[in-house]
Amino acid sequence: MSAVPLGMPAFPKAARDATRNPTLRRNLRHATHTIRSRRAAAVAELDDWAELRAAGAAIKDHTLRHLDRYLEQAEAAVRAAGGHVHWAADAAEANRIVTGLVRAAGEAEVVKVKSMATQEIGLNEALAEAGITAYETDLAELIVQLGDDRPSHILVPAIHRNRGEIRDIFAGTMGEWGVPAPDGMTDEPRELAEAARLHLREKFLRAKVAVSGANFLVAETGTLVVVESEGNGRMCLTLPETLISVVGIEKVVPTWRDLEVFLQLLPRSSTAERMNPYTSTWTGTTDGDGPREFHLVLLDNGRTGVLADEVGRQTLRCIRCSACLNVCPVYERAGGHAYGSVYPGPIGAILTPQLRGTTSEIDASLPYASSLCGACYEVCPVAIDIPEVLVHLREKVAAQPGHPVERAALAVAAWVMSDPKRYTALQRTAVRTRALHPRKAALPGWAKAWGATRDLPAVPAESFRTWWQRRDTSGETP
Protein backbone atom coordinates (compact mmCIF):
# COMPACT_ATOMS: atom_id res chain seq x y z
CA MET A 1 0.00 0.00 0.00
CA SER A 2 1.16 3.53 -0.65
CA ALA A 3 2.81 5.61 2.02
CA VAL A 4 0.99 7.41 4.81
CA PRO A 5 0.40 11.10 3.95
CA LEU A 6 3.40 13.12 5.09
CA GLY A 7 3.00 14.40 8.63
CA MET A 8 -0.23 12.49 9.27
CA PRO A 9 -0.63 11.93 13.04
CA ALA A 10 -1.92 8.76 14.66
CA PHE A 11 -5.68 8.42 14.97
CA PRO A 12 -6.08 9.68 18.57
CA LYS A 13 -4.48 13.07 17.83
CA ALA A 14 -6.10 13.43 14.39
CA ALA A 15 -9.51 12.58 15.86
CA ARG A 16 -9.05 15.01 18.74
CA ASP A 17 -8.32 17.82 16.29
CA ALA A 18 -11.25 16.86 14.04
CA THR A 19 -13.80 16.79 16.84
CA ARG A 20 -12.94 20.41 17.65
CA ASN A 21 -14.14 21.53 14.21
CA PRO A 22 -17.86 22.37 14.58
CA THR A 23 -18.43 22.83 10.84
CA LEU A 24 -16.96 19.42 10.08
CA ARG A 25 -19.06 17.73 12.75
CA ARG A 26 -22.21 19.44 11.52
CA ASN A 27 -21.53 18.40 7.91
CA LEU A 28 -20.80 14.80 8.92
CA ARG A 29 -23.79 14.44 11.20
CA HIS A 30 -26.22 15.76 8.61
CA ALA A 31 -24.85 13.60 5.80
CA THR A 32 -24.43 10.31 7.69
CA HIS A 33 -27.84 10.51 9.36
CA THR A 34 -29.53 11.22 6.04
CA ILE A 35 -27.84 8.30 4.27
CA ARG A 36 -28.40 6.03 7.26
CA SER A 37 -32.15 6.59 7.43
CA ARG A 38 -32.62 6.20 3.67
CA ARG A 39 -30.63 2.98 3.65
CA ALA A 40 -32.72 1.53 6.47
CA ALA A 41 -35.90 2.26 4.50
CA ALA A 42 -34.51 0.71 1.31
CA VAL A 43 -33.37 -2.45 3.09
CA ALA A 44 -36.70 -2.81 4.90
CA GLU A 45 -38.44 -3.20 1.53
CA LEU A 46 -36.90 -6.67 1.07
CA ASP A 47 -38.29 -9.57 3.07
CA ASP A 48 -35.28 -11.71 2.15
CA TRP A 49 -32.54 -9.20 3.06
CA ALA A 50 -31.07 -11.53 5.69
CA GLU A 51 -30.91 -14.34 3.13
CA LEU A 52 -29.31 -12.06 0.53
CA ARG A 53 -26.74 -10.96 3.10
CA ALA A 54 -25.91 -14.57 3.94
CA ALA A 55 -25.67 -15.43 0.25
CA GLY A 56 -23.29 -12.53 -0.38
CA ALA A 57 -21.02 -13.62 2.47
CA ALA A 58 -21.08 -17.25 1.28
CA ILE A 59 -20.24 -16.33 -2.32
CA LYS A 60 -17.34 -14.16 -1.18
CA ASP A 61 -15.98 -16.82 1.17
CA HIS A 62 -16.18 -19.48 -1.55
CA THR A 63 -14.42 -17.20 -4.02
CA LEU A 64 -11.64 -16.35 -1.59
CA ARG A 65 -11.05 -20.04 -0.86
CA HIS A 66 -10.57 -20.67 -4.58
CA LEU A 67 -9.24 -17.25 -5.57
CA ASP A 68 -6.32 -18.61 -7.61
CA ARG A 69 -8.65 -20.62 -9.82
CA TYR A 70 -11.10 -17.80 -10.43
CA LEU A 71 -8.38 -15.25 -11.16
CA GLU A 72 -6.85 -17.55 -13.78
CA GLN A 73 -10.31 -18.11 -15.26
CA ALA A 74 -10.91 -14.34 -15.40
CA GLU A 75 -7.51 -13.76 -17.02
CA ALA A 76 -8.20 -16.30 -19.72
CA ALA A 77 -11.64 -14.85 -20.42
CA VAL A 78 -10.33 -11.27 -20.68
CA ARG A 79 -7.58 -12.34 -23.08
CA ALA A 80 -10.04 -14.33 -25.18
CA ALA A 81 -12.21 -11.20 -25.48
CA GLY A 82 -9.31 -9.14 -26.82
CA GLY A 83 -8.11 -7.54 -23.60
CA HIS A 84 -4.67 -7.52 -21.99
CA VAL A 85 -4.01 -8.63 -18.40
CA HIS A 86 -1.22 -7.37 -16.15
CA TRP A 87 -0.39 -8.61 -12.64
CA ALA A 88 0.83 -6.06 -10.07
CA ALA A 89 2.31 -7.34 -6.83
CA ASP A 90 2.37 -3.93 -5.17
CA ALA A 91 1.61 -0.23 -5.65
CA ALA A 92 4.93 0.56 -7.31
CA GLU A 93 4.47 -2.14 -9.95
CA ALA A 94 0.88 -1.11 -10.65
CA ASN A 95 1.93 2.52 -11.10
CA ARG A 96 4.75 1.52 -13.46
CA ILE A 97 2.35 -0.53 -15.56
CA VAL A 98 -0.27 2.21 -15.87
CA THR A 99 2.30 4.94 -16.52
CA GLY A 100 3.89 2.81 -19.24
CA LEU A 101 0.53 2.18 -20.90
CA VAL A 102 -0.36 5.88 -20.98
CA ARG A 103 3.04 6.74 -22.42
CA ALA A 104 2.69 3.97 -25.03
CA ALA A 105 -0.58 5.61 -26.12
CA GLY A 106 1.34 8.84 -26.64
CA GLU A 107 -0.84 10.81 -24.22
CA ALA A 108 -0.12 13.18 -21.34
CA GLU A 109 -3.54 13.17 -19.67
CA VAL A 110 -6.19 10.69 -18.57
CA VAL A 111 -9.74 10.89 -17.30
CA LYS A 112 -10.68 8.75 -14.31
CA VAL A 113 -13.84 7.22 -12.97
CA LYS A 114 -13.70 6.96 -9.18
CA SER A 115 -11.43 4.13 -8.09
CA MET A 116 -10.32 3.51 -4.53
CA ALA A 117 -7.67 1.09 -5.78
CA THR A 118 -5.93 3.88 -7.71
CA GLN A 119 -6.13 6.11 -4.65
CA GLU A 120 -4.70 3.29 -2.56
CA ILE A 121 -1.61 3.04 -4.76
CA GLY A 122 -1.21 6.80 -5.23
CA LEU A 123 -1.66 6.59 -9.00
CA ASN A 124 -2.42 10.30 -9.56
CA GLU A 125 0.82 11.27 -7.86
CA ALA A 126 2.80 8.67 -9.80
CA LEU A 127 1.33 9.89 -13.09
CA ALA A 128 2.10 13.51 -12.17
CA GLU A 129 5.75 12.61 -11.58
CA ALA A 130 5.80 11.18 -15.11
CA GLY A 131 4.30 14.39 -16.55
CA ILE A 132 0.80 12.93 -16.95
CA THR A 133 -2.27 14.75 -15.60
CA ALA A 134 -5.16 12.70 -14.20
CA TYR A 135 -8.59 14.36 -14.16
CA GLU A 136 -11.13 13.04 -11.67
CA THR A 137 -14.65 12.96 -13.13
CA ASP A 138 -16.81 11.84 -10.22
CA LEU A 139 -18.39 15.00 -8.79
CA ALA A 140 -17.18 14.46 -5.23
CA GLU A 141 -13.71 13.43 -6.42
CA LEU A 142 -13.63 16.55 -8.60
CA ILE A 143 -14.39 18.68 -5.53
CA VAL A 144 -11.59 16.99 -3.63
CA GLN A 145 -9.11 17.41 -6.49
CA LEU A 146 -9.93 21.06 -7.15
CA GLY A 147 -9.75 21.80 -3.43
CA ASP A 148 -6.32 20.16 -3.09
CA ASP A 149 -7.97 17.95 -0.49
CA ARG A 150 -8.20 14.26 0.40
CA PRO A 151 -11.29 12.00 0.28
CA SER A 152 -13.00 11.43 3.63
CA HIS A 153 -15.71 8.88 2.76
CA ILE A 154 -15.90 5.80 0.54
CA LEU A 155 -19.15 6.72 -1.21
CA VAL A 156 -19.13 10.52 -0.79
CA PRO A 157 -15.46 11.58 -0.77
CA ALA A 158 -16.39 15.26 -0.18
CA ILE A 159 -18.85 14.55 2.63
CA HIS A 160 -16.91 16.96 4.86
CA ARG A 161 -17.71 19.89 2.53
CA ASN A 162 -20.93 21.93 2.48
CA ARG A 163 -22.49 23.76 -0.49
CA GLY A 164 -20.87 27.08 0.30
CA GLU A 165 -17.43 25.54 0.48
CA ILE A 166 -17.97 23.74 -2.82
CA ARG A 167 -19.03 26.96 -4.53
CA ASP A 168 -15.87 28.68 -3.33
CA ILE A 169 -13.71 25.80 -4.57
CA PHE A 170 -15.33 25.78 -8.01
CA ALA A 171 -15.16 29.56 -8.39
CA GLY A 172 -11.57 29.75 -7.19
CA THR A 173 -9.85 26.85 -8.94
CA MET A 174 -11.98 25.33 -11.71
CA GLY A 175 -10.49 27.67 -14.32
CA GLU A 176 -6.98 26.47 -13.49
CA TRP A 177 -7.93 22.92 -14.52
CA GLY A 178 -10.07 23.67 -17.58
CA VAL A 179 -13.44 25.28 -18.27
CA PRO A 180 -14.05 27.83 -15.48
CA ALA A 181 -17.16 28.08 -13.34
CA PRO A 182 -19.85 30.49 -14.63
CA ASP A 183 -19.76 34.03 -13.29
CA GLY A 184 -22.24 34.67 -10.50
CA MET A 185 -22.63 30.97 -9.67
CA THR A 186 -24.49 30.40 -6.38
CA ASP A 187 -24.34 27.42 -4.02
CA GLU A 188 -27.58 25.94 -5.38
CA PRO A 189 -27.00 22.23 -6.17
CA ARG A 190 -28.36 22.62 -9.71
CA GLU A 191 -25.88 25.40 -10.51
CA LEU A 192 -22.96 23.53 -8.96
CA ALA A 193 -23.82 20.38 -10.93
CA GLU A 194 -24.13 22.37 -14.16
CA ALA A 195 -20.71 23.96 -13.61
CA ALA A 196 -19.20 20.50 -13.09
CA ARG A 197 -20.97 19.13 -16.17
CA LEU A 198 -19.64 21.90 -18.44
CA HIS A 199 -16.16 21.54 -16.97
CA LEU A 200 -16.04 17.75 -17.41
CA ARG A 201 -17.76 17.50 -20.80
CA GLU A 202 -14.77 19.13 -22.50
CA LYS A 203 -12.43 16.59 -20.91
CA PHE A 204 -14.58 13.61 -21.86
CA LEU A 205 -14.64 14.68 -25.51
CA ARG A 206 -10.87 15.28 -25.61
CA ALA A 207 -9.43 12.38 -23.61
CA LYS A 208 -7.87 9.43 -25.43
CA VAL A 209 -7.08 7.35 -22.31
CA ALA A 210 -9.29 6.54 -19.31
CA VAL A 211 -8.48 4.84 -16.01
CA SER A 212 -11.14 3.05 -14.01
CA GLY A 213 -11.59 0.67 -11.17
CA ALA A 214 -14.32 -1.97 -10.97
CA ASN A 215 -16.89 -2.99 -8.43
CA PHE A 216 -16.85 -6.57 -9.67
CA LEU A 217 -15.01 -8.87 -12.12
CA VAL A 218 -17.03 -11.83 -13.39
CA ALA A 219 -14.65 -14.75 -13.83
CA GLU A 220 -16.72 -16.85 -16.24
CA THR A 221 -16.77 -14.16 -18.96
CA GLY A 222 -14.03 -11.71 -17.94
CA THR A 223 -16.65 -8.97 -17.61
CA LEU A 224 -15.98 -5.93 -15.44
CA VAL A 225 -18.73 -3.97 -13.72
CA VAL A 226 -18.91 -0.38 -12.49
CA VAL A 227 -21.98 1.00 -10.72
CA GLU A 228 -22.38 4.77 -10.37
CA SER A 229 -24.97 7.51 -10.20
CA GLU A 230 -23.76 10.39 -12.38
CA GLY A 231 -22.98 9.01 -15.83
CA ASN A 232 -19.34 10.07 -15.66
CA GLY A 233 -18.36 6.42 -15.47
CA ARG A 234 -20.25 5.60 -18.65
CA MET A 235 -18.46 8.45 -20.42
CA CYS A 236 -15.03 7.28 -19.23
CA LEU A 237 -15.70 3.69 -20.17
CA THR A 238 -16.98 4.29 -23.70
CA LEU A 239 -15.43 7.44 -25.25
CA PRO A 240 -11.62 7.04 -24.88
CA GLU A 241 -9.59 4.92 -27.26
CA THR A 242 -7.69 3.15 -24.45
CA LEU A 243 -9.21 1.95 -21.18
CA ILE A 244 -7.06 0.84 -18.23
CA SER A 245 -8.82 -0.78 -15.25
CA VAL A 246 -6.99 -1.23 -11.96
CA VAL A 247 -8.81 -3.88 -9.92
CA GLY A 248 -8.06 -5.51 -6.59
CA ILE A 249 -7.87 -9.28 -6.84
CA GLU A 250 -10.65 -9.66 -4.27
CA LYS A 251 -13.21 -8.06 -6.64
CA VAL A 252 -13.70 -11.26 -8.62
CA VAL A 253 -16.99 -13.20 -8.47
CA PRO A 254 -17.42 -16.58 -10.15
CA THR A 255 -20.56 -16.15 -12.29
CA TRP A 256 -23.25 -13.73 -13.47
CA ARG A 257 -25.68 -15.47 -11.13
CA ASP A 258 -23.41 -14.51 -8.24
CA LEU A 259 -23.22 -10.94 -9.53
CA GLU A 260 -27.01 -10.68 -9.32
CA VAL A 261 -26.85 -11.03 -5.52
CA PHE A 262 -24.40 -8.14 -5.18
CA LEU A 263 -26.37 -5.92 -7.55
CA GLN A 264 -29.16 -6.14 -4.98
CA LEU A 265 -26.96 -5.71 -1.91
CA LEU A 266 -24.72 -2.87 -3.03
CA PRO A 267 -27.16 -0.16 -4.19
CA ARG A 268 -29.40 -0.43 -1.14
CA SER A 269 -26.45 -0.44 1.26
CA SER A 270 -24.59 2.44 -0.36
CA THR A 271 -26.95 4.94 -2.00
CA ALA A 272 -30.23 3.54 -0.62
CA GLU A 273 -31.41 2.91 -4.18
CA ARG A 274 -33.10 -0.20 -5.52
CA MET A 275 -30.78 -0.07 -8.52
CA ASN A 276 -27.90 2.18 -9.49
CA PRO A 277 -28.76 4.72 -12.22
CA TYR A 278 -25.77 3.49 -14.24
CA THR A 279 -24.55 -0.10 -14.25
CA SER A 280 -21.82 -0.41 -16.87
CA THR A 281 -20.34 -3.74 -17.97
CA TRP A 282 -17.56 -4.38 -20.50
CA THR A 283 -15.80 -7.47 -21.76
CA GLY A 284 -12.56 -7.02 -23.64
CA THR A 285 -12.90 -5.01 -26.85
CA THR A 286 -15.41 -4.93 -29.71
CA ASP A 287 -14.73 -3.44 -33.13
CA GLY A 288 -16.60 -0.17 -33.58
CA ASP A 289 -17.93 -0.08 -30.02
CA GLY A 290 -16.07 1.50 -27.12
CA PRO A 291 -12.30 1.61 -26.52
CA ARG A 292 -10.07 -0.04 -29.13
CA GLU A 293 -7.64 -1.22 -26.45
CA PHE A 294 -8.39 -2.57 -22.98
CA HIS A 295 -5.93 -3.36 -20.18
CA LEU A 296 -6.80 -5.02 -16.87
CA VAL A 297 -4.31 -4.52 -14.02
CA LEU A 298 -4.93 -7.07 -11.25
CA LEU A 299 -3.66 -5.61 -7.99
CA ASP A 300 -2.42 -7.57 -4.97
CA ASN A 301 -0.70 -4.94 -2.79
CA GLY A 302 -1.01 -6.92 0.43
CA ARG A 303 -4.25 -8.77 -0.29
CA THR A 304 -2.72 -12.26 -0.33
CA GLY A 305 -1.32 -11.50 3.11
CA VAL A 306 -4.82 -10.66 4.32
CA LEU A 307 -6.11 -13.85 2.71
CA ALA A 308 -3.63 -15.90 4.76
CA ASP A 309 -5.11 -14.64 8.05
CA GLU A 310 -7.98 -16.89 9.09
CA VAL A 311 -9.70 -14.14 11.10
CA GLY A 312 -8.75 -11.13 8.99
CA ARG A 313 -9.54 -12.58 5.57
CA GLN A 314 -13.26 -11.83 5.94
CA THR A 315 -12.25 -8.19 5.37
CA LEU A 316 -11.79 -9.06 1.68
CA ARG A 317 -15.54 -9.65 1.38
CA CYS A 318 -15.99 -5.87 1.45
CA ILE A 319 -17.92 -4.43 -1.52
CA ARG A 320 -17.13 -0.79 -0.55
CA CYS A 321 -20.71 0.21 0.19
CA SER A 322 -19.77 2.54 3.11
CA ALA A 323 -22.75 1.47 5.25
CA CYS A 324 -20.41 0.89 8.20
CA LEU A 325 -19.18 4.50 8.06
CA ASN A 326 -22.68 5.92 8.17
CA VAL A 327 -23.60 4.16 11.43
CA CYS A 328 -20.25 4.47 13.20
CA PRO A 329 -20.30 6.93 16.14
CA VAL A 330 -16.52 7.34 15.89
CA TYR A 331 -16.53 8.18 12.18
CA GLU A 332 -19.47 10.57 12.61
CA ARG A 333 -17.47 12.65 15.07
CA ALA A 334 -13.93 12.29 13.75
CA GLY A 335 -14.45 12.18 9.98
CA GLY A 336 -12.49 10.23 7.42
CA HIS A 337 -9.26 12.22 7.36
CA ALA A 338 -8.43 11.16 10.92
CA TYR A 339 -7.84 7.59 9.72
CA GLY A 340 -4.86 8.60 7.55
CA SER A 341 -5.93 6.19 4.84
CA VAL A 342 -7.89 5.97 1.61
CA TYR A 343 -10.18 3.60 3.50
CA PRO A 344 -11.76 5.43 6.46
CA GLY A 345 -14.25 4.32 9.08
CA PRO A 346 -14.68 0.82 10.50
CA ILE A 347 -13.67 -0.98 7.31
CA GLY A 348 -10.56 1.19 7.05
CA ALA A 349 -9.69 0.43 10.66
CA ILE A 350 -9.35 -3.26 9.75
CA LEU A 351 -8.34 -3.15 6.08
CA THR A 352 -5.56 -0.57 6.23
CA PRO A 353 -3.55 -2.22 9.05
CA GLN A 354 -3.72 -5.53 7.21
CA LEU A 355 -2.58 -4.06 3.90
CA ARG A 356 0.11 -1.78 5.34
CA GLY A 357 1.02 -3.65 8.53
CA THR A 358 0.93 -2.27 12.06
CA THR A 359 4.53 -1.14 12.49
CA SER A 360 3.86 2.59 12.06
CA GLU A 361 2.21 4.60 14.83
CA ILE A 362 -0.79 5.53 12.71
CA ASP A 363 -1.48 1.98 11.51
CA ALA A 364 -1.06 0.56 15.01
CA SER A 365 -3.64 3.07 16.27
CA LEU A 366 -6.38 2.19 13.76
CA PRO A 367 -7.64 -1.05 15.39
CA TYR A 368 -8.38 1.08 18.46
CA ALA A 369 -10.43 3.62 16.47
CA SER A 370 -13.67 1.95 17.50
CA SER A 371 -16.01 1.61 20.45
CA LEU A 372 -16.75 -2.03 19.46
CA CYS A 373 -20.47 -1.21 19.55
CA GLY A 374 -21.10 -3.64 16.68
CA ALA A 375 -23.29 -1.31 14.58
CA CYS A 376 -20.92 -1.79 11.63
CA TYR A 377 -21.42 -5.56 11.67
CA GLU A 378 -25.20 -5.20 11.83
CA VAL A 379 -25.36 -3.16 8.62
CA CYS A 380 -22.60 -4.85 6.62
CA PRO A 381 -24.26 -6.41 3.55
CA VAL A 382 -21.68 -9.23 3.46
CA ALA A 383 -21.64 -9.82 7.24
CA ILE A 384 -18.02 -8.87 7.98
CA ASP A 385 -17.59 -9.17 11.74
CA ILE A 386 -15.60 -5.96 12.04
CA PRO A 387 -15.46 -5.98 15.88
CA GLU A 388 -13.97 -9.49 15.79
CA VAL A 389 -11.25 -8.40 13.37
CA LEU A 390 -10.57 -5.24 15.39
CA VAL A 391 -9.93 -7.27 18.53
CA HIS A 392 -7.78 -9.69 16.53
CA LEU A 393 -5.66 -6.80 15.24
CA ARG A 394 -5.40 -5.29 18.70
CA GLU A 395 -3.89 -8.56 19.86
CA LYS A 396 -1.32 -8.29 17.08
CA VAL A 397 -0.46 -4.71 18.02
CA ALA A 398 -0.12 -5.65 21.68
CA ALA A 399 2.28 -8.46 20.78
CA GLN A 400 4.66 -6.03 19.09
CA PRO A 401 7.67 -4.53 20.87
CA GLY A 402 6.83 -1.33 22.68
CA HIS A 403 3.67 -2.49 24.46
CA PRO A 404 5.00 -4.25 27.59
CA VAL A 405 2.30 -2.90 29.92
CA GLU A 406 -0.53 -4.11 27.73
CA ARG A 407 1.08 -7.51 27.24
CA ALA A 408 1.61 -7.84 30.99
CA ALA A 409 -2.00 -6.84 31.71
CA LEU A 410 -3.34 -9.40 29.24
CA ALA A 411 -1.08 -12.09 30.68
CA VAL A 412 -2.33 -11.38 34.20
CA ALA A 413 -5.95 -11.38 33.02
CA ALA A 414 -5.44 -14.71 31.27
CA TRP A 415 -3.83 -16.20 34.38
CA VAL A 416 -6.69 -15.03 36.65
CA MET A 417 -9.55 -16.02 34.33
CA SER A 418 -8.15 -19.46 33.54
CA ASP A 419 -8.75 -20.67 37.09
CA PRO A 420 -12.20 -20.44 38.82
CA LYS A 421 -10.67 -20.08 42.27
CA ARG A 422 -8.42 -17.21 41.27
CA TYR A 423 -11.29 -15.51 39.43
CA THR A 424 -13.61 -15.85 42.44
CA ALA A 425 -10.95 -14.48 44.78
CA LEU A 426 -10.47 -11.45 42.52
CA GLN A 427 -14.21 -10.79 42.45
CA ARG A 428 -14.44 -10.92 46.25
CA THR A 429 -11.48 -8.59 46.63
CA ALA A 430 -13.01 -6.13 44.15
CA VAL A 431 -16.33 -6.11 46.06
CA ARG A 432 -14.67 -5.60 49.45
CA THR A 433 -12.55 -2.70 48.22
CA ARG A 434 -15.19 -1.06 46.01
CA ALA A 435 -15.33 2.09 48.13
CA LEU A 436 -11.65 2.74 47.40
CA HIS A 437 -11.86 2.41 43.62
CA PRO A 438 -11.13 5.58 41.57
CA ARG A 439 -13.62 6.90 39.04
CA LYS A 440 -10.94 7.26 36.35
CA ALA A 441 -8.48 4.61 35.22
CA ALA A 442 -5.11 5.60 36.65
CA LEU A 443 -2.82 4.06 34.07
CA PRO A 444 0.88 4.63 33.44
CA GLY A 445 2.80 6.00 30.45
CA TRP A 446 1.31 5.43 26.99
CA ALA A 447 -2.02 4.24 28.45
CA LYS A 448 -2.59 7.36 30.57
CA ALA A 449 -4.58 9.16 27.88
CA TRP A 450 -6.84 6.12 27.44
CA GLY A 451 -7.74 6.05 31.12
CA ALA A 452 -8.17 9.82 31.47
CA THR A 453 -11.08 9.82 29.02
CA ARG A 454 -13.01 6.89 30.49
CA ASP A 455 -15.05 6.40 33.63
CA LEU A 456 -14.51 3.05 35.30
CA PRO A 457 -17.73 1.05 35.83
CA ALA A 458 -18.81 0.84 39.43
CA VAL A 459 -18.26 -2.55 41.10
CA PRO A 460 -21.62 -3.94 42.37
CA ALA A 461 -22.09 -4.78 46.02
CA GLU A 462 -22.54 -8.43 45.07
CA SER A 463 -21.16 -10.33 42.09
CA PHE A 464 -23.42 -12.35 39.83
CA ARG A 465 -21.63 -15.53 40.85
CA THR A 466 -22.33 -14.90 44.55
CA TRP A 467 -25.93 -13.95 43.90
CA TRP A 468 -26.45 -17.09 41.82
CA GLN A 469 -25.02 -19.36 44.50
CA ARG A 470 -27.21 -17.73 47.16
CA ARG A 471 -30.28 -18.07 44.95
CA ASP A 472 -29.47 -21.71 44.23
CA THR A 473 -29.34 -22.58 47.94
CA SER A 474 -32.22 -20.38 49.15
CA GLY A 475 -34.62 -21.00 46.29
CA GLU A 476 -34.84 -17.27 45.54
CA THR A 477 -36.59 -16.41 42.29
CA PRO A 478 -34.77 -13.98 39.98
Side-chain angles (χ1 to χ4, degrees):
M1 197 163 180
S2 57
V4 180
L6 186 63
M8 187 72 201
F11 182 84
K13 183 181 186 307
R16 184 166 59 250
D17 294 341
T19 54
R20 293 171 178 167
N21 184 335
T23 301
L24 175 65
R25 292 191 62 174
R26 184 165 56 250
N27 293 347
L28 288 170
R29 178 177 175 81
H30 172 73
T32 56
H33 281 237
T34 299
I35 299 171
R36 182 192 311 177
S37 60
R38 290 177 179 173
R39 177 204 171 275
V43 167
E45 293 178 348
L46 296 182
D47 293 335
D48 62 344
W49 180 258
E51 289 77 10
L52 277 170
R53 185 176 187 242
I59 292 168
K60 280 289 188 176
D61 284 346
H62 166 80
T63 307
L64 292 171
R65 283 195 299 271
H66 306 283
L67 189 57
D68 54 345
R69 170 158 56 95
Y70 288 120
L71 285 172
E72 290 177 353
Q73 182 183 8
E75 177 186 27
V78 170
R79 293 189 189 280
H84 306 272
V85 180
H86 311 263
W87 297 83
D90 54 26
E93 186 172 9
N95 289 332
R96 283 196 301 271
I97 292 169
V98 177
T99 300
L101 292 173
V102 178
R103 282 175 168 167
E107 296 297 316
E109 62 180 24
V110 301
V111 289
K112 290 181 63 196
V113 55
K114 184 172 70 173
S115 164
M116 301 202 75
T118 60
Q119 293 170 7
E120 174 190 324
I121 64 176
L123 178 62
N124 286 13
E125 293 78 8
L127 290 174
E129 290 180 5
I132 301 167
T133 303
Y135 296 110
E136 298 290 351
T137 65
D138 175 83
L139 177 57
E141 292 287 352
L142 175 65
I143 295 166
V144 169
Q145 185 174 51
L146 294 180
D148 193 23
D149 201 352
R150 290 182 292 113
S152 63
H153 192 277
I154 289 176
L155 177 66
V156 194
I159 195 173
H160 56 290
R161 297 291 193 182
N162 58 38
R163 286 161 39 181
E165 292 173 317
I166 295 170
R167 190 207 72 83
D168 292 342
I169 290 171
F170 280 9
T173 62
M174 192 171 269
E176 299 173 10
W177 288 78
V179 177
D183 293 335
M185 178 184 62
T186 72
D187 65 356
E188 286 299 311
R190 182 184 294 274
E191 294 189 33
L192 296 174
E194 178 65 8
R197 187 188 72 82
L198 293 173
H199 178 82
L200 291 172
R201 180 59 60 93
E202 182 266 341
K203 299 191 185 307
F204 289 137
L205 296 176
R206 188 181 69 214
K208 301 296 184 183
V209 179
V211 176
S212 83
N215 294 98
F216 306 101
L217 166 58
V218 182
E220 68 176 346
T221 58
T223 302
L224 288 96
V225 184
V226 161
V227 296
E228 41 106 7
S229 302
E230 300 169 18
N232 65 299
R234 184 68 57 83
M235 300 287 275
C236 286
L237 298 168
T238 56
L239 291 179
E241 296 175 0
T242 299
L243 174 60
I244 306 167
S245 299
V246 182
V247 181
I249 58 175
E250 81 281 13
K251 295 298 184 71
V252 68
V253 296
T255 68
W256 278 83
R257 173 173 286 189
D258 298 320
L259 176 65
E260 182 267 341
V261 173
F262 296 107
L263 291 182
Q264 294 186 72
L265 289 170
L266 180 55
R268 292 177 187 268
S269 289
S270 57
T271 57
E273 295 171 299
R274 298 178 182 89
M275 182 178 179
N276 286 92
Y278 294 90
T279 300
S280 300
T281 66
W282 66 101
T283 309
T285 59
T286 301
D287 291 339
D289 184 13
R292 294 199 294 266
E293 194 170 330
F294 169 61
H295 297 268
L296 170 61
V297 181
L298 289 169
L299 177 68
D300 187 328
N301 205 35
R303 285 160 174 79
T304 52
V306 181
L307 187 62
D309 188 320
E310 292 186 3
V311 177
R313 70 171 60 134
Q314 61 184 296
T315 309
L316 296 179
R317 295 181 198 157
C318 179
I319 57 175
R320 309 291 192 268
C321 70
S322 79
C324 62
L325 281 70
N326 300 323
V327 299
C328 177
V330 176
Y331 175 86
E332 180 186 319
R333 288 157 179 80
H337 290 160
Y339 293 81
S341 167
V342 170
Y343 305 106
I347 189 61
I350 63 172
L351 179 58
T352 301
Q354 293 189 84
L355 293 178
R356 294 198 305 215
T358 56
T359 55
S360 72
E361 183 181 6
I362 185 170
D363 293 324
S365 72
L366 289 178
Y368 297 89
S370 170
S371 64
L372 299 180
C373 68
C376 50
Y377 171 63
E378 294 299 325
V379 299
C380 178
V382 286
I384 302 171
D385 193 340
I386 294 178
E388 178 187 34
V389 182
L390 285 167
V391 173
H392 173 64
L393 292 174
R394 290 180 185 186
E395 292 174 355
K396 287 191 171 184
V397 172
Q400 294 177 168
H403 296 273
V405 176
E406 189 169 355
R407 287 202 303 275
L410 291 173
V412 170
W415 179 77
V416 171
M417 294 181 182
S418 63
D419 182 272
K421 292 181 179 179
R422 288 195 290 263
Y423 185 64
T424 301
L426 177 65
Q427 284 186 320
R428 289 172 179 168
T429 301
V431 169
R432 290 168 184 167
T433 60
R434 59 194 297 265
L436 304 176
H437 294 179
R439 289 293 305 277
K440 297 287 185 182
L443 299 173
W446 62 271
K448 186 175 182 180
W450 186 92
T453 57
R454 290 166 172 80
D455 290 332
L456 291 174
V459 176
E462 183 180 41
S463 70
F464 175 82
R465 180 187 294 255
T466 303
W467 172 84
W468 186 265
Q469 291 174 341
R470 176 166 52 78
R471 167 194 172 279
D472 198 39
T473 56
S474 65
E476 178 183 342
T477 301

